Amino acid sequence: MITHLEHRQAAPTGLRLSRAAGHGRPTAPVRIVHLGLGNFFRAHQAWYTDNAPDAADWGIAAFTGLSRDLADALAPQDGLYTLVTRAPDGERLRVVSSVSAVHGGDEHDAWLGYWADRAVAVATFTVTEAGYVRGPDGGLDTSRADVRADVAALRADPHAPVTTVPARVVAGLRLRRSTGAGPMTLLPCDNLPENGAALRRVVLDLADLVDPGLAAWIAEHVAFATTMVDRITPATTAEERDAVRAATGLADTAPVRTEPYSEWVIAGTFPAGRPAWEEAGAQIVEDVLPFEQRKLWLLNGAHSLLAYAGGVLGHRTVAEAVADPWVRGWVEAWWDEASRHLDLPDDDLLAYRRALVERFGNPRIEHLLAQIAADGSEKLPVRVGPVLAAECAAGRLPLGASTVVAGWALHLRGRGAPLSEARPDRVAGLADGDLADTVRAVLDRLGPGLGGHEPLVATVLDGARALEALAEA
């Protein structure tokens, strides 16, 4: 049942969503440039901007990654789209107006043009953990062919098209320096610990390779803020598009569905200004780390457990997996382990866990485990690795963390969702040999020396064999 519908006027069936037809607000001037025009960005940062009291002054120019499909879908709609918020007892539909311009990732001249514009004050990013192209030490991975190609291209021509995120940022900042467009803030919104520092490191590393003077200018004139973001946002389906058309009479090729819960915690400075996001519910804090760890470990870590262990057991969605008593027990064990290492009040952690149970169990949010399972080599070292190492250092063999590792080991060996890795080389060889060899290899990937921790290896092996037995029962 639809409980609320926000459109500025009724529409005859088949009318396309557009500002010219009176849908949404008038186009706001672009003051934010965004990379990663996907569903999460449109349900989160764009939604917060749309709800800010000064939204009319803060339009977003949003770019896709490499594919331009979503830009092509949204351009005829003037950047408008319908956000469908699905609660267990109904839906709320709203047209979001904060995206003023959409571009494909191949529109490099347009990208550079925004960075040279003094009005642009903030750049935001949702490019996934893999988009930061970091090496094992957290710095720029200069062993990658695409990174080396981008460095060579920018050395030869400041306006040359590039593909990696750090290179796109460096190209933009290089032009901003030359045009005197002034300071700005870079605001990453991906699930990386201390994501502001992570982005700063790879940007400065690449800038130093291209133009050492530029690196010094960036360090002086560009602020890197840190964020924690949270809102479950599944992929859009054809059924979702049909349902929006039936409910509104509008043809929207790119609606987004999401859950009622949303959280955004921000720390950092904004020398050129920003929207009043705190008036839309964002928290502006001095230190994001406690909130970041809580979300990475309790939500994202549990998601990985559901994806790998639940996937091995044949579950398809988060709601299905968390309803399984076995899986729910492993999740609770994981939360107990992770909570021991979080510097937040116990009452806050218990309330957050209760909220997660409700969110995970929402039957109207079809969050696919296969979507969560992608890029485990990037996700698990930050979602599970720190807790696993801390528990072992304390002399404990953690059941929940071991079950995540067991599920991932089986996933790498072909159980559950199909393997999907942005960097296949990161998992090359991990599934070689027998199951014990895989367990040792993945443990070493998650923490130096963990593959030689024999009691832990035995615990993970027992968990993997138990998972296999349950799957075959």
Side-chain angles (χ1 to χ4, degrees), residues 384-453:
V384 176
V387 174
L388 183 64
E391 285 290 283
C392 290
R396 292 185 289 265
L397 295 174
L399 172 63
S402 296
T403 304
V404 185
V405 179
W408 190 42
L410 293 175
H411 172 71
L412 293 170
R413 295 176 68 85
R415 302 295 294 260
L419 183 64
S420 176
E421 287 279 340
R423 290 285 307 274
D425 57 296
R426 289 185 181 272
V427 297
L430 292 184
D432 292 349
D434 60 17
L435 180 57
D437 293 326
T438 299
V439 166
R440 294 180 194 281
V442 298
L443 283 171
D444 274 333
R445 177 61 58 86
L446 295 179
L450 289 180
H453 189 310

Side-chain angles (χ1 to χ4, degrees), residues 48-64:
Y48 277 96
T49 303
D50 197 55
N51 280 282
D54 52 356
D57 300 324
W58 287 92
I60 304 170
F63 287 75
T64 63

Side-chain angles (χ1 to χ4, degrees), residues 104-239:
D106 57 345
E107 296 181 53
H108 191 60
D109 287 343
W111 172 262
L112 292 178
Y114 290 114
W115 289 79
D117 186 351
R118 181 176 289 273
V120 172
V122 180
T124 57
F125 305 85
T126 48
V127 294
T128 77
E129 294 95 327
Y132 294 81
V133 292
R134 301 192 304 161
D137 67 346
L140 183 72
D141 188 351
T142 55
S143 69
R144 291 176 56 125
D146 53 355
V147 171
R148 293 198 303 270
D150 281 350
V151 169
L154 290 176
R155 283 174 174 170
D157 177 4
H159 297 87
V162 289
T163 60
T164 63
V165 174
R168 292 189 191 196
V169 173
V170 167
L173 290 175
R174 196 179 197 183
L175 187 59
R176 193 171 185 89
R177 178 188 63 169
S178 68
T179 58
M184 66 182 300
T185 297
L186 274 54
L187 184 67
C189 300
D190 290 291
N191 291 318
L192 277 175
E194 301 181 84
N195 51 27
L199 178 61
R200 185 178 190 274
R201 172 88 182 270
V202 294
V203 166
L204 289 178
D205 282 353
L206 196 143
D208 193 53
L209 293 172
V210 171
D211 177 354
L214 175 63
W217 181 87
I218 293 171
E220 182 178 351
H221 293 88
V222 180
F224 290 80
T226 299
T227 64
M228 188 282 291
V229 298
D230 189 3
R231 197 171 203 185
I232 295 171
T233 310
T236 300
T237 64
E239 292 77 14

Side-chain angles (χ1 to χ4, degrees), residues 185-456:
T185 297
L186 274 54
L187 184 67
C189 300
D190 290 291
N191 291 318
L192 277 175
E194 301 181 84
N195 51 27
L199 178 61
R200 185 178 190 274
R201 172 88 182 270
V202 294
V203 166
L204 289 178
D205 282 353
L206 196 143
D208 193 53
L209 293 172
V210 171
D211 177 354
L214 175 63
W217 181 87
I218 293 171
E220 182 178 351
H221 293 88
V222 180
F224 290 80
T226 299
T227 64
M228 188 282 291
V229 298
D230 189 3
R231 197 171 203 185
I232 295 171
T233 310
T236 300
T237 64
E239 292 77 14
E240 195 71 48
R241 288 187 284 271
D242 291 342
V244 168
R245 181 191 290 263
T248 68
L250 294 173
D252 182 351
T253 60
V256 180
R257 56 179 166 157
T258 192
E259 62 171 334
Y261 184 94
S262 185
E263 188 174 22
W264 196 9
V265 183
I266 305 168
T269 61
F270 293 81
R274 60 167 175 80
W277 286 316
E278 67 274 26
E279 299 298 324
Q283 299 177 68
I284 311 300
V285 301
E286 291 294 323
D287 185 8
V288 169
L289 186 60
F291 303 93
E292 182 180 82
Q293 290 178 329
R294 181 195 66 184
K295 193 256 182 172
L296 278 171
W297 297 348
L298 299 189
L299 186 146
N300 298 123
H303 263 170
S304 291
L305 193 159
L306 294 166
Y308 299 126
V312 169
L313 297 184
H315 299 303
R316 193 177 67 90
T317 68
V318 168
E320 289 176 11
V322 81
D324 182 322
W326 282 104
V327 179
R328 173 66 183 278
W330 296 326
V331 168
E332 293 286 354
W334 162 249
W335 284 341
D336 288 342
E337 295 156 11
S339 294
R340 283 195 282 265
H341 306 283
L342 288 169
D343 187 20
L344 288 168
D346 289 343
D347 288 348
D348 290 357
L349 294 174
L350 288 172
Y352 189 74
R353 287 171 61 162
R354 286 194 293 269
L356 286 179
V357 171
E358 182 176 345
R359 296 169 67 193
F360 289 172
N362 185 346
R364 301 183 64 81
I365 295 294
E366 193 178 51
H367 202 178
L368 299 178
L369 298 181
Q371 179 185 357
I372 299 167
D375 298 326
S377 65
E378 292 280 351
K379 295 173 179 176
L380 290 189
V382 295
R383 295 181 177 189
V384 176
V387 174
L388 183 64
E391 285 290 283
C392 290
R396 292 185 289 265
L397 295 174
L399 172 63
S402 296
T403 304
V404 185
V405 179
W408 190 42
L410 293 175
H411 172 71
L412 293 170
R413 295 176 68 85
R415 302 295 294 260
L419 183 64
S420 176
E421 287 279 340
R423 290 285 307 274
D425 57 296
R426 289 185 181 272
V427 297
L430 292 184
D432 292 349
D434 60 17
L435 180 57
D437 293 326
T438 299
V439 166
R440 294 180 194 281
V442 298
L443 283 171
D444 274 333
R445 177 61 58 86
L446 295 179
L450 289 180
H453 189 310
E454 292 304 324
L456 178 62

